Amino acid sequence: MYAIELTPEHPVAQLTDFARTAESEGFDAVFASHHYNNRDQFMALASMAQATDEVLLGPGIANPYETHPVTLASRVATLSEMSDGRAVFGVGPGDKSTIRNLGFDHDDALRRVLETFKVGQQLWNGERVDHDGTFRADDAGLNYEAGEIPVYVGAQGPHMTKMAAKHADGALYNGSHPKDLAWARDQVDSMLDDRVADGEFDLAAYASVSVAEDADAAREAARPPVAFVAAGSPPPVLGRHGIDQDVASDISDAISAGEFEEAFGLVTEPMLDAFCIAGTPEDVAERTEALREHADSVVFASPLGPDIEDAIALLGAATDRSRAE
């Protein structure tokens, strides 16, 4: 799978146009990211569903804190209905720097994510559910049919990655560097004998990418998403790339306070190299191939580039090259 992520910082109509472009460029899926201060991801996905015919569509990711997991399952099922079965459920604990503004934390994150999609699968199968865990549901059910919906867990640390490998269809692994994907592959392989989900597991590199003919412009456009990745990365990931944990904490604090320009200004060159694929189409094609040595799929995530419409076309060409080699 080659896919793109669209961020609802843009109007829904514009996102829908981007999704059409992605489909015409041959991408397999389009994911919509979520932060409470952006436009609603499911409204954007619904619009994309009505404007496209073949691409898979899903949240990348939805978190099960702001929305009750049963309601979240129903939203994904509605998307599946609207798209004639093209929905994918991307679910994860969410970005710490923004959900803490709403009074949520990541306590029991692994259990919350696992319970969310397990209950969702029961609901999609037409079952009524009683659940008392990290959330509660009493005799909950959907009054319409949903069927099977693939589940991809948003992961970065070892426990979430291993849980995904055991229970889910795939992982949207938050990584742009071959070092991180090689490590993730080791975590996945260590769980294959314990896998309980049906089918093969899809390890997808959910890679921040910025592409343009001007490499410097591409790197500058990468600062905002890299700030969010650095702010949310656990210490082992920061240590893997020699990144100062205190600087990453400062970025997280600035994001939480709404001081985005300050946060973006704190992004260092090593952060850009570790947490984004930024450069010309040739640079991106080369780095994508390096990721594919360890990953089964690649999702090109925000910012895509300084000009998103052009970036989607350039990424389409880059994936064509990487597929042909």
Side-chain angles (χ1 to χ4, degrees):
M1 174 178 69
Y2 283 98
I4 66 166
E5 173 205 67
L6 296 174
T7 304
E9 60 185 343
H10 308 285
V12 170
Q14 190 172 15
L15 295 171
T16 303
D17 287 340
F18 292 155
R20 287 195 196 97
T21 300
E23 185 169 68
S24 69
E25 290 292 337
F27 284 97
D28 303 301
V30 175
F31 292 91
S33 64
H34 169 74
H35 295 95
Y36 76 89
N37 48 357
N38 284 336
R39 294 160 182 84
D40 184 88
Q41 67 181 158
F42 280 101
M43 290 187 180
L45 288 164
S47 179
M48 295 177 203
Q50 294 178 321
T52 58
D53 298 310
E54 296 181 355
V55 290
L56 300 175
L57 298 165
I61 47 81
N63 78 71
Y65 294 99
E66 296 172 69
T67 303
H68 191 284
V70 170
T71 303
L72 194 54
S74 184
R75 289 181 181 174
V76 176
T78 303
L79 176 64
S80 180
E81 182 179 77
M82 293 185 67
S83 63
D84 294 324
R86 291 184 283 132
V88 176
F89 186 25
V91 59
D95 175 65
K96 290 182 181 180
S97 301
T98 50
I99 69 169
R100 75 185 185 189
N101 290 99
L102 306 182
F104 300 107
D105 57 34
H106 278 189
D107 287 351
D108 293 324
L110 187 146
R111 282 188 59 209
R112 182 82 170 197
V113 172
L114 176 61
E115 291 174 11
T116 292
F117 71 78
K118 288 291 188 180
V119 166
Q121 289 169 330
Q122 291 176 273
L123 294 167
W124 300 332
N125 285 334
E127 301 174 31
R128 300 200 70 83
V129 176
D130 292 307
H131 182 80
D132 188 6
T134 60
F135 62 90
R136 183 170 176 172
D138 298 316
D139 195 29
L142 303 180
N143 64 2
Y144 63 102
E145 295 183 4
E148 293 186 8
I149 299 173
V151 173
Y152 280 69
V153 172
Q156 189 175 31
H159 302 301
M160 197 71 74
T161 305
K162 289 180 178 180
M163 182 274 282
K166 182 175 181 178
H167 293 282
D169 296 288
L172 300 175
Y173 184 81
N174 188 5
S176 306
H177 197 282
K179 283 184 183 179
D180 295 319
L181 269 299
W183 177 89
R185 174 56 69 187
D186 287 342
Q187 309 309 303
V188 169
D189 288 347
S190 73
M191 295 301 294
L192 292 182
D193 289 341
D194 298 318
R195 183 165 168 76
V196 298
D198 294 331
E200 295 185 4
F201 184 78
D202 182 14
L203 176 60
Y206 206 81
S208 179
V209 172
S210 183
V211 63
E213 297 294 355
D214 183 338
D216 291 336
R219 288 181 70 82
E220 189 62 27
R223 287 183 174 275
V226 167
F228 279 91
V229 174
S233 293
V237 174
L238 298 173
R240 194 178 299 141
H241 298 284
I243 292 171
D244 190 324
Q245 187 173 339
D246 290 337
V247 177
S249 295
D250 290 342
I251 293 173
S252 178
D253 290 341
I255 290 173
S256 186
E259 301 293 339
F260 296 112
E261 290 303 319
E262 178 183 346
F264 304 158
L266 291 171
V267 171
T268 63
E269 291 298 312
M271 288 179 184
L272 288 171
D273 292 334
F275 299 137
C276 188
I277 300 174
T280 65
E282 291 75 20
D283 296 330
V284 171
E286 182 177 351
R287 283 284 299 272
T288 299
E289 275 303 290
L291 289 181
R292 284 299 309 273
E293 291 182 13
H294 312 287
D296 303 303
S297 299
V298 178
V299 181
F300 296 120
S302 178
L304 301 183
D307 184 304
I308 294 178
E309 192 83 32
D310 288 346
I312 293 172
L314 292 173
L315 289 170
T319 55
D320 282 344
R321 279 198 295 274
S322 64
R323 280 170 170 159
E325 289 175 358

